């Protein structure tokens, strides 16, 4: 059985745009990732609902991570999005917690496919997504206490 990295250790890898959006890593295991965000005023579109770009970013991040899991928690791999398709199904009002549940669907050593369901607290399907991704080089966390510092190997 493989070790599952602690989510709190990997949360620090969210930087830049993901950190600005307030994405929270809930689950990270082989072939599945769950990331959540609570809709804030700066996430809203002109109609007062969650902006589609935030939904796309949430799904993209979760799907990319679903295909980069490594048994060693000190190892990390990034993913490059090659293709992304989103289907929006419901308006999402402020203060809603949205969970992206992404699953690895297939692929090879370098390219993988993933899908994602975006759900509210009642498990209502808000959007769905599919994507194709390229796995990056294996990276190693230099300092567990400072996980944003990465070293290529």
């Amino acid at each position: 059985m493989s070790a599952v990295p602690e989510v709190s250790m990997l949360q620090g890898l969210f930087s830049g745009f993901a950190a600005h959006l307030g994405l929270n890593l809930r689950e990270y295991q082989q072939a599945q990732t769950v990331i959540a965000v609570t809709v804030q005023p700066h996430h809203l579109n002109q109609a007062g609902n969650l902006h589609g770009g935030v939904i796309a970013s949430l799904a993209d991040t979760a799907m990319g991570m679903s295909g980069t899991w490594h048994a060693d928690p000190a190892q990390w791999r990034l993913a490059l999005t090659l293709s992304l398709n989103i289907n929006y199904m419901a308006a999402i009002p402020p203060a809603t917690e949205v969970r992206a549940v992404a699953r690895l669907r297939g692929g090879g050593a370098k390219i993988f496919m993933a899908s994602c369901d975006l759900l509210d607290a009642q498990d209502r399907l808000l959007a769905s997504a599919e994507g194709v991704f390229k796995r990056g080089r294996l990276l190693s966390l230099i300092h567990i206490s400072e996980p944003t510092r990465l070293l290529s190997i």
Side-chain angles (χ1 to χ4, degrees):
M1 172 164 264
S2 300
V4 176
E6 285 193 36
V7 170
S8 60
M9 179 180 87
L10 297 174
Q11 179 69 37
L13 292 171
F14 283 167
S15 61
F17 192 59
H20 173 71
L21 290 177
L23 304 187
N24 293 298
L25 184 60
R26 295 286 175 83
E27 182 181 319
Y28 184 57
Q29 61 184 358
Q30 189 170 11
Q32 181 168 304
T33 301
V34 178
I35 298 175
V37 67
T38 300
V39 180
Q40 303 295 322
H42 64 276
H43 295 138
L44 303 179
N45 60 21
Q46 291 180 334
N49 295 307
L50 182 60
H51 191 284
V54 177
I55 296 168
S57 297
L58 179 59
D60 182 44
T61 302
M63 288 189 296
M65 288 184 71
S66 74
T68 60
W69 183 88
H70 194 281
D72 180 353
Q75 302 298 307
W76 182 253
R77 211 180 274 279
L78 299 174
L80 173 69
T81 306
L82 301 176
S83 172
L84 180 65
N85 182 46
I86 308 267
N87 295 301
Y88 301 98
M89 296 170 199
I92 306 169
T96 302
E97 182 182 77
V98 179
R99 286 177 296 118
V101 180
R103 293 176 182 87
L104 177 67
R105 294 297 184 196
K110 293 184 179 181
I111 305 294
F112 68 93
M113 287 75 66
S115 65
C116 183
D117 288 337
L118 292 104
L119 309 164
D120 65 12
Q122 291 75 39
D123 288 334
R124 183 175 61 126
L125 186 61
L126 306 170
S128 65
E130 295 179 333
V132 179
F133 301 83
K134 180 178 179 181
R135 287 185 181 95
R137 294 180 300 167
L138 192 61
L139 304 169
S140 180
L141 297 174
I142 296 173
H143 302 290
I144 299 300
S145 62
E146 299 176 43
T148 56
R149 300 183 70 195
L150 301 174
L151 172 68
S152 297
I153 56 173

